[in-house]
Amino acid sequence: MTEPASPLQANALALLKELIAKPSVTPEDAGCQALLAQRLQALGFELEWLPAGPAEARVSNLWAMRAAVQPDAPTLVFAGHTDVVPSGAESHWSSPPFTPVERDGRLYGRGASDMKGSIAAFVAALESVIQQQPRQALRLALLLTSDEEGPAVHGTTHVIETLRARGERLDYCIVGEPTAQQRTGDMIKSGRRGSLSGRLHVHGVQGHIAYPHLARNPIHQALPALAELAATEWDAGNEFFPPTSWQISNIRAGTGAGNVIPGELVVDFNFRFSTESSDAQLRQRVHALLDRHGLDYTLHWTLGGQPFLTPSGTLVQLVQQAVGQVTGLSPELSTSGGTSDGRFIATLCPQVIELGPPNASIHKVDEHIALADLETLARIYAQLLQLLHAQHVGAAGDNTQAAA
């Protein structure tokens, strides 16, 4: 017999179903933020819409803020994205990707784990905590964008620059990315590696394959350099970050004919780098290596984001405490995985962590979240809100106790 859902789980689940039903493929929001805005406004949040980007690909950004007991109270931000990746062919899904379906204790649909589930859990947690304790000792805010799964140019980075320009202060931030390995709470991200991409054009001379002395094969010339790049130890990492890695993501050359030496080789590569290396150091080392091999080349760089790290402090400690109280787990602190919008927020907010559900099904066919994980996440968020309130209630001059 299935146990009845708790009010917290039922609230989060109902909201998540509404969000999944909106096909918000990046950069579309499809009305998700308007739905959330209604819920937040009812809790006393002030809404600010900060759209950005070209008209044909307008990005929806929402900054929602709820005042605290004292106007100079610390600010806690929850950051999330309402956009999702494309579903691919619907015929490959067991049920339509934008029709939420419960099956075997899970909710299926695009965005269930990445990351509409986290947004629904946080809003449900807010509603529960504020109902019990309306006089909060922190300013509470949500930063929502529809440009995380896309270029990430007109989303969170635009909001952060807007807030920076007017002197806004952010103290704590929770990013709802799916971070768990097996169970919600078993891993949180306390930072992320930087991302530096390059597109290398190695120039040769096109010619007939039977007359190589009249041509210059850029593939042959580049191979030793590429092998050395792949074998290079860029750094050894540190206690927080694994070693910096260099990976080729694409390589192409040729005209399509089997009897033509190509005139150019194009190589796309990426560094995921630790705080032991800077992007300037990595660029310099790559250029020095290519020059040493005598290549005729051009190289275009794109910095996707700098590494960031939140050391042990108030937020990390209280997140660990909240997870332990709800689940009994001692969460692993990790900086693994790809980049997130946390890299933009960390330029303004000194304490940024990522906490969300298991990530095993994200970006896959039949993406889903276990109902138990959704409830656990909402409970962790609620407990964290209570712990942060208790931490700052004295400074806010509010003698009430945190909600039980």
Side-chain angles (χ1 to χ4, degrees):
M1 181 177 178
T2 303
E3 294 184 5
S6 69
L8 189 60
Q9 184 199 76
N11 192 14
L13 180 60
L15 178 55
L16 178 53
K17 287 180 177 180
E18 288 188 82
L19 292 172
I20 289 175
K22 298 181 182 300
S24 53
V25 177
T26 190
E28 294 294 330
D29 169 69
C32 291
Q33 292 176 24
L35 170 64
L36 295 165
Q38 291 179 349
R39 304 281 285 257
L40 295 172
Q41 201 164 29
L43 294 174
F45 281 79
E46 295 184 4
L47 309 178
E48 183 177 2
W49 298 95
L50 297 168
E56 65 274 13
R58 198 69 166 160
V59 172
S60 180
N61 299 309
L62 174 62
W63 173 252
M65 171 72 76
R66 186 180 190 273
V69 175
Q70 297 293 329
D72 59 346
T75 301
L76 166 68
V77 180
F78 176 86
H81 61 88
T82 52
D83 59 321
V84 299
V85 296
S87 63
E90 286 197 16
S91 59
H92 295 166
W93 287 65
S94 301
S95 52
F98 297 107
T99 300
V101 173
E102 287 186 54
R103 189 166 62 247
D104 302 324
R106 300 171 175 175
L107 181 68
Y108 288 80
R110 176 58 86 220
S113 288
D114 189 14
M115 58 172 286
K116 293 179 176 181
S118 296
I119 295 173
F122 190 78
V123 171
L126 277 175
E127 291 174 336
S128 175
V129 169
I130 290 174
Q131 181 181 24
Q132 297 175 65
Q133 177 51 267
R135 288 171 56 81
Q136 286 292 304
L138 286 87
R139 295 196 305 163
L140 300 172
L142 280 86
L143 192 170
L144 302 174
T145 183
S146 66
D147 187 35
E148 196 276 344
E149 298 289 8
V153 172
H154 301 294
T156 297
T157 183
H158 169 71
V159 178
I160 289 298
E161 289 310 312
T162 301
L163 298 177
R164 191 195 316 279
R166 68 189 188 204
E168 190 74 57
R169 188 192 76 198
L170 308 182
D171 298 279
Y172 311 114
C173 180
I174 307 162
V175 184
E177 289 291 346
T179 57
Q181 301 296 291
Q182 301 296 328
R183 295 174 54 194
T184 294
D186 63 12
M187 177 179 286
I188 61 177
K189 305 291 186 182
S190 56
R192 293 279 190 166
R193 295 174 294 175
S195 177
L196 176 65
S197 298
R199 174 163 291 177
L200 172 66
H201 296 254
V202 180
H203 310 298
V205 176
Q206 183 175 311
H208 196 292
I209 207 163
Y211 302 98
H213 60 289
L214 300 177
R216 190 172 78 246
N217 195 320
I219 301 175
H220 293 181
Q221 290 191 310
L223 285 177
L226 296 178
E228 186 174 343
L229 286 167
T232 295
E233 181 179 296
W234 302 96
D235 60 47
N238 53 39
E239 62 178 312
F240 303 108
F241 290 92
T244 292
S245 68
W246 182 86
Q247 293 290 322
I248 293 175
S249 59
N250 199 3
I251 187 166
R252 53 199 181 277
T255 64
N259 60 353
V260 178
I261 293 173
E264 184 178 65
L265 170 71
V266 181
V267 181
D268 293 320
F269 63 84
N270 177 265
F271 282 104
R272 293 301 165 105
F273 62 101
S274 77
T275 50
E276 293 298 306
S277 296
S278 69
D279 65 287
Q281 291 171 332
L282 295 173
R283 296 179 206 227
Q284 187 276 328
R285 291 180 66 182
V286 170
H287 281 286
L289 188 153
L290 297 174
D291 292 341
R292 179 160 45 79
H293 281 270
L295 298 182
D296 178 12
Y297 71 93
T298 55
L299 179 51
H300 304 283
W301 294 98
T302 302
L303 180 62
Q306 297 285 1
F308 72 92
L309 178 69
T310 297
S312 182
T314 300
L315 185 60
V316 168
Q317 291 168 6
L318 292 185
V319 167
Q320 291 175 316
Q321 186 177 339
V323 169
Q325 290 172 347
V326 172
T327 69
L329 298 173
S330 178
E332 176 185 353
L333 296 178
S334 173
T335 60
S336 63
T339 59
S340 77
D341 277 1
R343 68 192 190 274
F344 306 125
I345 300 165
T347 65
L348 186 59
C349 182
Q351 299 188 55
V352 180
I353 64 98
E354 300 175 26
L355 170 61
N359 55 26
S361 73
I362 64 173
H363 290 211
K364 292 183 178 180
V365 168
D366 285 348
E367 180 181 349
H368 59 269
I369 187 171
L371 302 187
D373 280 308
L374 182 64
E375 178 173 20
T376 297
L377 186 60
R379 289 176 61 203
I380 291 172
Y381 287 155
Q383 186 67 13
L384 177 60
L385 287 167
Q386 293 165 358
L387 291 172
L388 281 165
H389 170 79
Q391 180 86 6
H392 293 281
V393 67
D398 184 351
N399 295 320
T400 60
Q401 297 297 312

